[in-house]
Amino acid sequence: MGFGAELMPLTYATGALLFFLGLLLGRLGVKRLRAEVTRARNASVESELVRKQIAKQHAGIQASSKTLSLFVGKLTEGVGRLNRASLDERDVNIMIADLARAVFDPDQILLYRTGVDLRQDLATDHDLDNDVLTLVEHDGLASVPPEVASIPVGEGKIGWVAAHRVEMTRKDWLDPTRTEGVRPLPNHTTLKLDLISPIIRHAGDKTRTLGVLCIGRPKARQDRNAKLMLQTISNLGSIAYSHAISLSEMKARANFDGLTGLMIKSHFRKELGKLIHALENAVGNMGIFIFDIDHFKTYNDTNGHPEGDNLLREFARVIRANLRPGDMACRYGGEEFVVAMPGADAEAALQAAERIRAAIETHKFRLEQSQPKGTLTISGGVAAYPREGTDGDELIRHADEALF
């Protein structure tokens, strides 16, 4: 056998080995290729998930930023309202509801006020347990059931928040530790409330619940800032209520007599001018009754000025008790008083004046026995618009000349 013949089996064997090695490497290459393809696909899926997550977070940030921007804008607007010269509790109610509406875009808004009188000194105890929450502003209710219009403090979820002065979200009610094991019930089936916040006022060691703000089904994004924004609205509401009362008290001090609580002369003349202007346009009547206390100097000299002040206070109470709806009473000076009676012609004005005179004469005033007649009496006169005058000065002058 030749040398070439001897190498042929080896060549075949080597070829076969190389073939199988190539096949193995090919299979390994395919597996590796498949693994790389799978890895690439997974990476692509992962990348898409990350992209979607980033997009979602970005959208969330944009939504939160928009809400926060809107909130700051409305908050600035609300603070601006506090600078107005005229602000009453009704204005504050609207301001709170507007803020809540702008920030949360909810299906329901309910704003309640307690019976707390902000004019009352906080040192004076207020019986919150027997207080009632009264609905003063609302959105999203087709009708207001009686049990929603008025809620005793402590009753249901809204009453619980008022009594405990704690903000609550829908999730908070599921945590028994938040309510000390108590499970307050919804106040009514029509209410779908997600956020409930008390409106409270702090002064020293005293705290008063002024009201409750409720938000139902907000469309705006809810995040960890939601409760903070609700607290901010509630706190601003508390400040606004206090400010409205302060403005009201300042106006009262400026326009009403500190001793009797009746209008002062300048304010009365201003309001009388408004009444006359309205009567000119509507063609109506008005009576003026001017009167003073007989022998008031004698009462003061006999009993002392403190007793004279007490007499004037009681005298004003008797006047107020005998006014008709819409009448205006004024302490015109010292012991002189004026009552304006819109809608009263000459005869009706005389009848109203006589009613006031008789009520004063029959009232038992302290120490009135020291008066010359043994009782307190008045002298006065009546004038009628437009018969005796068409402006305030003219009417008062004619009434003064008609003293009886």
Side-chain angles (χ1 to χ4, degrees), residues 140-337:
L141 297 178
S143 61
V144 181
E147 52 268 56
V148 173
S150 181
I151 299 174
V153 170
E155 184 175 291
K157 291 182 176 181
I158 297 173
W160 188 93
V161 167
H164 293 81
R165 304 181 179 119
V166 177
E167 295 85 5
M168 295 293 285
T169 66
R170 182 180 289 275
K171 289 181 179 179
D172 288 336
W173 296 112
L174 303 176
D175 182 359
T177 62
R178 295 279 290 158
T179 57
E180 300 175 349
V182 178
R183 290 204 177 261
L185 297 173
N187 289 89
H188 197 269
T189 54
T190 59
L191 303 183
K192 311 298 180 185
L193 304 180
D194 295 83
L195 299 162
I196 308 177
S197 173
I199 300 174
I200 56 181
R201 183 189 181 198
H202 300 284
D205 61 345
K206 294 286 183 178
T207 302
R208 290 276 175 82
T209 301
L210 305 182
V212 176
L213 175 60
C214 309
I215 305 296
R217 291 179 172 173
K219 298 182 189 68
R221 176 184 172 84
Q222 294 300 294
D223 55 23
R224 61 181 179 275
N225 293 322
K227 188 182 285 190
L228 179 61
M229 287 189 286
L230 184 69
Q231 289 172 346
T232 304
I233 295 172
S234 299
N235 290 336
L236 182 63
S238 173
I239 294 169
Y241 280 129
S242 300
H243 185 55
I245 294 302
S246 296
L247 284 176
S248 174
E249 289 177 340
M250 286 172 62
K251 286 182 181 178
R253 284 195 292 270
N255 297 328
F256 292 84
D257 178 52
L259 184 64
T260 63
L262 302 178
M263 287 183 179
I264 62 172
K265 184 176 180 177
S266 59
H267 183 55
F268 175 80
R269 291 171 71 89
K270 180 181 176 182
E271 294 302 310
L272 181 62
K274 292 179 182 178
L275 285 176
I276 291 173
H277 180 70
L279 289 172
E280 288 172 349
N281 296 328
V283 187
N285 300 301
M286 180 171 62
I288 294 289
F289 178 33
I290 186 168
F291 54 99
D292 55 27
I293 301 172
D294 295 331
H295 310 290
F296 182 67
K297 185 177 185 304
T298 301
Y299 188 96
N300 255 345
D301 292 344
T302 305
N303 304 302
H305 288 282
E307 286 296 342
D309 288 348
N310 290 334
L311 173 68
L312 290 172
R313 290 189 190 96
E314 185 66 18
F315 188 83
R317 281 194 284 271
V318 176
I319 293 173
R320 279 194 296 270
N322 288 277
L323 296 176
R324 308 170 318 144
D327 286 355
M328 298 190 313
C330 163
R331 185 185 180 192
Y332 209 63
E335 69 274 18
E336 191 174 31
F337 299 82

Side-chain angles (χ1 to χ4, degrees), residues 334-346:
E335 69 274 18
E336 191 174 31
F337 299 82
V338 182
V339 174
M341 298 169 278
D345 58 17

Side-chain angles (χ1 to χ4, degrees), residues 66-71 73-75 77 95-106 109 139 215 220 229 233:
K66 182 181 177 182
T67 301
L68 189 58
S69 177
L70 186 62
F71 175 68
K74 285 293 179 180
L75 191 62
E77 182 183 315
M95 181 194 76
I96 294 172
D98 283 350
L99 269 172
R101 192 178 296 111
V103 172
F104 296 105
D105 190 19
I109 296 175
D139 265 356
I215 305 296
M229 287 189 286
I233 295 172

